[in-house]
Amino acid sequence: MSDVRPDTPLRVLIVEDEALIAFDLEAQIEDCGYEVTDIAQDVASCQAAARRVRPDVALMDYRLKNGDSGRVAATWLREELDVPCIFLSGNLDEATRALLGPLHPVAFVGKPLLPPALRAALEKADALRAGPG
Amino acid sequence: MEHSVPCRNNSLETRSALQEAGAEALFDNRTDTLRIDAADLLSSLPRSVAVIDSDMVYIDVSDAFLDMTGRTREELVGSPVFEMFPPGAAEVAPSGNLVRDSFRRVFETAKPDRLDTYYYPIAGAGDGLLERRWWRADNRPILRNGRVVAVLHDVEDVTADVIARRDRDIRDRLIESLSAVGTWEFRPQEGSIVASAALVEMFGLEGQAAEGPAEPFLDRIHPEDLPSVTAAFEAKADAPIGAPVDIDFRVVTPEGSERWLACRSELVRSEPRASVTFVGVSLDITDSKNREATLTETIAERDRLLEQKEVLLGEVNHRIKNSLQIVSSILKLDANQARDDRMQGRLRAAASRVQAVASVHELIYRAGQVDTVEFGEYLGDLCRAMEDSLPLEIALIHNSIPLRVSTDRAISLALLVNELVANSVAHAFRDKKDGTIAVKAAVRDERLELSVSDDGDGKPVTPTHRGLGTRIIAAMVSQLEAELQQSPGARGGHVVHLSMPIGS
């Protein structure tokens, strides 16, 4: 599987309104050898950042700045750019997960973030990059 | 003259005698009283009266009778009654013509015969169209020598009453059906009641007589409410007509269920000294009473839950603060164990950052408010906590302003101030060992102006520096939508100035 994977490192867009948590994520992603394209706080900045550099995957918080919803940002990413998401969520209920199903998220990673869980999710995204479906 | 039949075409003896005397009205010589002609008397009677003979022919009528029927005396006198006013097929009683029957009974029995409200349409005087009319009649015998010679037909047009009563009955029935209103007349002194079907049902007395003793109704009133009900009516026993008795009480049904009735009534009295009657209506308000009770309970429960929520939130913040304090302490312990200075500095900085966040939770717990915190108070707390970890020679001073900020912004501000103070310590006092760091806050043009200044001799933080502290400052400045400016201080040190919206 790693044979068909592109040579460039996985590009990750972080969509997280808590700046320090975003920094932490950035450090962990870079530790894994991947690249962070940008850090966005809400739907508008997510759209702007993704247009500038199309990421391979977005690390998406469910509750964003100014009451924005991560679902709106994730839907836009999937529909406009076919970018999948890893959802960062400590406590998403079943109904919300079902609602996100059609977006085919790569993974749900709980908060607080544990490096092994994030690493596993990113590796899965990297593998999917070879050819989804 | 007494017992004489007043008559116009069949002159009577008395009348003839009077006419012969050439007088319409004379003084009786023997008694000195005015003597009145019977025909004239009949004519001016205020009631509508007709004299009818055994052939059912009008002998004479009063003017009022003419007014009422819209006929002339010439038309009526000498005409058969039931040719002038023929009974229609639909208008007569099933047994026949009830008016004719009544006249016949009077002729046969020589006794008065009453006709209660009956329907008998008559043709209008002008257009001849049948008019719907209701009547009440009192038919009395006119006797001569013990024999009935004519009937005095005293008739009253009660059409307006009947229509009014019918309309009122319809209204009452509709009101009862619409809102379960029971109507009643209660005579407390006689202990009797007249109740509508709806009231009987409200008291759970189905099958009982709607008119009779009030006792069965009073027995159903809740024992706790009965004294006040009885007292309410007794209090108004001597009150003037129209005095209201308004009272709500419970009725206990045989099954044991309770029902709330709201009763509104007014006192009526036919004569000044007569016993009183209360005419009233009752409305079943059980549902609204129950809703009221449920609502009261719900509100009490809500208040209890809100109180509980406050306590729990306070508890949660207390625990968060404690946990953060523990984390901060672990980091400090770690710092003390660290062998090299760099590691010790890093761990102390981390402990200080955690402590800055903890101080906000401490304040939330103390103030009992979760959404916002008092900024001035919290800045004091923060500075005192930071001063404890500063070298003794460096003083940390601050001012206090009254301003509330949201908890989220307070945490960001706490981290920001912590980093700026730490920066001053690290850079300004690298060589100089003593001095003062001042944290000043002010509100200008709806913006929070915050400055951290020192009188040290260090260099300002360069923007290219990628230390964690610098990154935290950048992150917090962006999160708070603040503008950061650095300049040399007046006392030779360095000033960092922040301007930001107060936020919600």
Side-chain angles (χ1 to χ4, degrees):
Chain A
M1 210 162 33
S2 60
D3 296 336
V4 289
R5 202 177 296 171
D7 289 338
T8 53
L10 182 79
R11 285 169 307 182
V12 186
L13 170 63
I14 298 170
V15 190
E16 161 66 64
D17 63 336
E18 199 62 57
L20 288 178
I21 291 172
F23 280 167
D24 177 27
L25 290 171
E26 185 182 19
Q28 291 195 48
I29 291 165
E30 285 170 355
D31 270 1
C32 296
Y34 304 131
E35 196 183 300
V36 174
T37 63
D38 212 337
I39 296 174
Q41 296 89 38
D42 52 22
V43 174
S45 59
C46 165
Q47 290 170 347
R51 279 207 186 97
R52 213 157 36 236
V53 182
R54 183 192 174 278
D56 298 310
V57 66
L59 215 50
M60 181 68 69
D61 188 22
Y62 198 72
R63 282 162 62 175
L64 299 178
K65 202 174 180 176
N66 305 324
D68 276 10
S69 163
R71 185 161 69 89
V72 175
T75 305
W76 182 87
L77 283 174
R78 180 56 100 178
E79 285 173 359
E80 293 295 315
L81 302 171
D82 198 26
V83 170
C85 285
I86 296 168
F87 280 100
L88 299 169
S89 47
N91 49 0
L92 281 191
D93 54 44
E94 283 306 315
T96 311
R97 282 174 191 245
L99 211 59
L100 297 173
L103 300 175
H104 303 290
V106 176
F108 291 95
V109 181
K111 273 184 179 176
L113 286 161
L114 296 173
L118 182 61
R119 183 182 288 270
L122 289 168
E123 277 169 4
K124 190 178 167 195
D126 198 14
L128 284 171
R129 198 156 61 117
Chain B
M1 170 131 178
E2 50 284 27
H3 300 304
S4 66
V5 178
C7 179
R8 281 177 190 274
N9 45 1
N10 300 16
S11 283
L12 299 168
E13 293 155 23
T14 332
R15 190 181 171 106
S16 312
L18 285 170
Q19 276 170 339
E20 277 161 25
E24 291 290 317
L26 295 173
F27 282 99
D28 187 310
N29 293 330
R30 285 164 297 166
T31 59
D32 261 6
T33 53
L34 182 66
R35 304 177 71 194
I36 308 286
D37 177 73
D40 292 339
L41 181 66
L42 177 70
S43 171
S44 57
L45 270 181
R47 302 185 64 87
S48 46
V49 172
V51 179
I52 292 151
D53 69 11
S54 56
D55 293 329
M56 309 292 166
V57 169
Y58 287 112
I59 297 172
D60 204 353
V61 295
S62 67
D63 291 353
F65 190 91
L66 296 173
D67 290 345
M68 191 181 70
T69 56
R71 303 299 198 280
T72 63
R73 184 166 276 113
E74 287 67 38
E75 281 179 274
L76 290 183
V77 172
S79 304
V81 172
F82 298 107
E83 278 176 29
M84 285 308 293
F85 301 111
E91 290 80 41
V92 294
S95 55
N97 184 337
L98 79 173
V99 182
R100 191 198 306 269
D101 292 347
S102 175
F103 291 163
R104 280 186 182 143
R105 278 195 296 278
V106 176
F107 279 111
E108 281 162 20
T109 63
K111 284 179 181 156
D113 193 80
R114 279 193 64 86
L115 283 176
D116 262 336
T117 309
Y118 63 95
Y119 180 66
Y120 197 110
I122 63 170
D127 49 19
L129 290 173
L130 276 185
E131 290 173 3
R132 295 163 61 78
R133 306 278 277 273
W134 280 265
W135 313 90
R136 194 181 296 139
D138 198 351
N139 299 322
R140 288 174 176 268
I142 298 172
L143 298 160
R144 188 188 296 155
N145 303 327
R147 204 171 60 83
V148 184
V149 292
V151 170
L152 185 68
H153 176 50
D154 178 358
V155 62
E156 188 185 355
D157 183 345
V158 293
T159 307
D161 289 353
V162 167
I163 288 174
R165 197 175 60 223
R166 185 198 59 192
D167 291 353
R168 199 183 57 227
D169 286 350
I170 291 171
R171 261 197 313 275
D172 289 353
R173 203 172 60 239
L174 291 176
I175 289 171
E176 280 203 12
S177 70
L178 190 67
S179 51
V181 172
T183 57
W184 44 269
E185 287 168 30
F186 175 45
R187 293 178 192 87
Q189 282 133 329
E190 292 158 25
S192 68
I193 194 168
V194 180
S196 73
L199 190 81
V200 171
E201 199 181 315
M202 278 179 199
F203 276 78
L205 290 168
E206 287 89 341
Q208 294 253 1
E211 193 167 352
E215 214 179 325
F217 290 87
L218 296 173
D219 284 349
R220 285 287 158 83
I221 296 176
H222 195 288
E224 285 173 18
D225 298 346
L226 185 60
S228 59
V229 173
T230 317
F233 286 110
E234 269 171 17
K236 295 288 171 70
D238 297 319
I241 289 169
V245 171
D246 299 345
I247 188 166
D248 295 358
F249 57 82
R250 287 164 293 174
V251 161
V252 185
T253 63
E255 298 82 41
S257 67
E258 284 182 11
R259 194 175 280 180
W260 273 99
L261 299 189
C263 296
R264 303 287 174 267
S265 66
E266 270 187 24
L267 184 152
V268 292
R269 195 188 274 124
S270 46
E271 292 160 47
R273 288 288 120 211
S275 66
V276 296
T277 300
F278 290 91
V279 177
V281 294
S282 294
L283 180 66
D284 189 330
I285 55 164
T286 311
D287 287 350
S288 67
K289 279 279 181 185
N290 286 345
R291 269 198 299 276
E292 207 176 287
T294 313
L295 192 63
T296 311
E297 267 174 44
T298 309
I299 290 170
E301 175 72 1
R302 187 202 61 185
D303 290 348
R304 201 180 59 75
L305 287 174
L306 279 176
E307 211 170 289
Q308 203 176 39
K309 192 194 94 178
E310 290 303 317
V311 170
L312 283 175
L313 274 177
E315 200 57 37
V316 164
N317 275 297
H318 189 52
R319 279 174 191 223
I320 291 173
K321 181 227 123 192
N322 277 350
S323 297
L324 290 172
Q325 203 99 58
I326 289 167
V327 173
S328 180
S329 299
I330 290 170
L331 291 170
K332 270 185 226 158
L333 285 171
D334 235 357
N336 292 340
Q337 304 266 306
R339 269 167 308 214
D340 71 275
D341 288 353
R342 258 172 60 90
M343 184 61 77
Q344 198 169 58
R346 286 271 172 104
L347 287 168
R348 285 221 171 101
S352 178
R353 285 163 189 145
V354 174
Q355 182 62 49
V357 178
S359 69
V360 177
H361 289 281
E362 161 71 9
L363 189 63
I364 293 170
Y365 170 65
R366 259 204 344 250
Q369 198 167 354
V370 179
D371 299 338
T372 61
V373 295
E374 183 58 43
F375 174 76
E377 193 182 347
Y378 123 83
L379 192 61
D381 278 10
L382 181 65
C383 289
R384 270 188 295 277
M386 284 188 298
E387 199 172 15
D388 288 346
S389 57
L390 291 180
L392 283 173
E393 298 79 15
I394 301 172
L396 180 61
I397 60 167
H398 69 275
N399 71 339
S400 184
I401 54 161
L403 175 70
R404 292 202 79 85
V405 298
S406 76
T407 305
D408 282 346
R409 289 180 78 77
I411 289 174
S412 298
L413 275 166
L415 284 168
L416 187 51
V417 171
N418 179 70
E419 288 312 317
L420 292 173
V421 170
N423 257 358
S424 273
V425 174
H427 300 285
F429 299 101
R430 196 177 296 157
D431 302 319
K432 194 179 177 212
K433 288 300 168 209
D434 60 331
T436 306
I437 300 170
V439 181
K440 282 185 193 155
V443 174
R444 205 172 300 130
D445 298 335
E446 309 251 316
R447 285 175 78 81
L448 172 61
E449 308 286 336
L450 191 70
S451 71
V452 177
S453 60
D454 61 60
D455 56 359
D457 57 2
K459 301 275 180 293
V461 185
T462 55
T464 51
H465 188 78
R466 288 282 287 171
L468 178 57
T470 314
R471 293 183 63 188
I472 290 175
I473 291 170
M476 293 303 107
V477 164
S478 127
Q479 194 140 313
L480 290 163
E481 291 166 345
E483 286 159 23
L484 183 145
Q485 284 181 326
Q486 308 193 57
S487 58
R491 293 170 295 151
H494 177 239
V495 182
V496 176
H497 186 88
L498 291 156
S499 170
M500 70 195 81
I502 291 167
S504 48

